[in-house]
Amino acid sequence: MHDFLTAALYNFVELPDFAELQAPLLACCEAHGVKGTLLLASEGINGTIAGQSADVHAVLAFLRQDPRLAALTHKEAHAAQMPFYRMKVRLKREIVTLGVPDVHPALMAGQYVKPQDWNQLLADPAVVLVDTRNDYEVSIGTFQGAINPATHSFSELPDWVEREMLDGGKLATVNGQKPKVAMFCTGGIRCEKSTAFLRAKGFDEVYHLEGGILKYLETVPEAQSTWQGECFVFDERVSVGHGLHAGDFTLCRSCRDPLSTQDRASPLYELGVSCAHCHAHTTEQQKEGYRERQRQVDLAAARHQAHIGVRQPGSA
């Protein structure tokens, strides 16, 4: 039974007073028992929250009371368990960090392509398809034929673009013309910034998937899909597939990498402690600390209590 509603949201909009919004927004979320993370910056809002359906919608209504956020849209998913452990409202320089000044997605983003029209765009052999997500996300699923820039953070993407614009690169100018570029990400936010960046670099034909991979997986039937694998998500579901059903991946609690069934069969995998990706990079002292944390998690589960995310006595 699906008892919890998850709402992913973002909106690029001018919020010069964003710091003043932090306290009342956190108070609203906590009053409704909603958990997750929301980021506020002068360029807008971004985040994911979860809770009982009525409570999540109450928080969304609270946000939309601000005329600047009246057009805020969100994507919904359902879960049997609360996917977050606490509520955070954080102040940031950017709601998604690209690290390039004077990139304004609200004014410069590329052309939206609806999920039902995405396959038709990708059928054009002249289109260069770029996955703007990080390497660990791409590793568990992507669109057929997509280029993986192999970045570890979104802020590395501009350097990749600059390199690929050179002669012989995937984004190089040929016969005086820059290529058509299609970009995609999990929910759409990174694409708005990355396509705005490309337009600032002189690319005229730039497209991005409206609503991101999640909207595509929700909208396009699996039989017609060009998506391969699963989609990494930033909550306790770890990954989702077509129809946004929870996938088969779990998360390493040490390095935070997604782990497949095969990864968990590795002799270097220890629940809550290590996996093949990070085993060699942590000390035995660190591993023992992770084991103690996992023992506490297991004890709390045996008592049908939460452990992770519970404020301990005396904590702030």
Side-chain angles (χ1 to χ4, degrees):
M1 183 175 179
H2 294 164
D3 296 324
F4 295 96
L5 175 68
T6 298
L9 58 99
Y10 76 90
N11 192 12
F12 284 106
V13 62
E14 294 296 318
L15 293 177
D17 59 341
F18 68 98
E20 298 173 16
L21 306 177
Q22 182 183 30
L25 178 54
L26 178 61
C28 177
C29 292
E30 291 184 335
H32 289 279
V34 168
K35 299 179 181 180
T37 300
L38 292 172
L39 307 180
L40 292 169
S42 60
E43 67 178 6
I45 185 171
N46 173 33
T48 306
I49 55 175
Q52 298 295 322
S53 179
D55 292 315
V56 170
H57 283 288
V59 172
L60 295 173
F62 173 81
L63 286 169
R64 291 177 180 130
Q65 286 178 354
D66 187 322
R68 298 167 298 182
L69 298 174
L72 177 72
T73 61
H74 70 280
K75 289 182 284 293
E76 296 187 355
H78 294 270
Q81 296 179 334
M82 170 62 83
F84 301 110
Y85 297 119
R86 56 179 68 87
M87 186 66 222
K88 305 172 191 174
V89 179
R90 292 177 169 171
L91 304 180
K92 295 286 187 177
R93 290 185 179 180
E94 302 176 73
I95 57 174
V96 57
T97 303
L98 187 65
V100 179
D102 299 322
V103 172
H104 303 287
L107 303 174
M108 303 165 60
Q111 182 175 330
Y112 290 101
V113 180
K114 293 189 178 299
Q116 57 267 33
D117 299 325
W118 186 244
N119 291 352
Q120 182 178 350
L121 173 65
L122 301 193
D124 182 349
V127 170
V128 178
L129 179 62
V130 180
D131 192 330
T132 67
R133 300 172 304 150
N134 298 328
D135 199 39
Y136 68 91
E137 300 171 75
V138 181
S139 69
I140 72 171
T142 190
F143 282 105
Q144 182 179 351
I147 296 169
N148 175 13
T151 56
H152 294 94
S153 68
F154 187 53
S155 60
E156 295 178 7
L157 190 67
D159 287 341
W160 178 84
V161 169
E162 296 282 2
R163 292 194 302 271
E164 294 301 326
M165 287 177 64
L166 299 175
D167 288 345
K170 297 177 176 64
L171 300 176
T173 299
V174 178
N175 297 325
Q177 187 171 358
K178 287 182 168 59
K180 297 179 184 178
V181 181
M183 310 184 98
F184 64 92
C185 59
T186 306
I189 184 170
R190 281 178 277 190
C191 292
E192 292 211 28
K193 267 209 161 176
S194 57
T195 56
F197 175 68
L198 256 64
R199 290 193 64 201
K201 301 299 291 184
F203 288 79
D204 294 323
E205 294 187 86
V206 187
Y207 307 88
H208 58 99
L209 178 57
E210 185 174 358
I213 301 163
L214 296 179
K215 196 63 179 179
Y216 182 91
L217 293 177
E218 179 185 13
T219 304
V220 178
E222 185 172 0
Q224 301 171 18
S225 173
T226 62
W227 177 262
Q228 299 175 327
E230 296 182 14
C231 177
F232 182 87
V233 290
F234 295 89
D235 59 49
E236 290 303 305
R237 295 173 298 171
V238 182
S239 69
V240 296
H242 287 89
L244 301 184
H245 299 299
D248 296 325
F249 284 78
T250 60
L251 207 63
C252 175
R253 293 296 174 184
S254 174
C255 67
R256 311 295 292 177
D257 274 5
L259 303 177
S260 66
T261 302
Q262 184 177 358
D263 291 328
R264 297 193 296 274
S266 167
L268 300 180
Y269 171 69
E270 184 178 348
L271 178 64
V273 178
S274 67
C275 69
H277 304 148
C278 67
H279 185 272
H281 303 293
T282 55
T283 66
E284 188 54 39
Q285 183 178 6
Q286 288 174 313
K287 289 183 177 68
E288 188 52 43
Y290 298 150
R291 290 187 184 103
E292 177 57 30
R293 178 183 61 186
Q294 187 60 40
R295 280 193 287 270
Q296 295 302 319
V297 171
D298 292 340
L299 287 170
R303 296 192 295 265
H304 303 288
Q305 297 174 340
H307 172 70
I308 300 175
V310 174
R311 292 184 178 177
Q312 301 301 319
S315 64

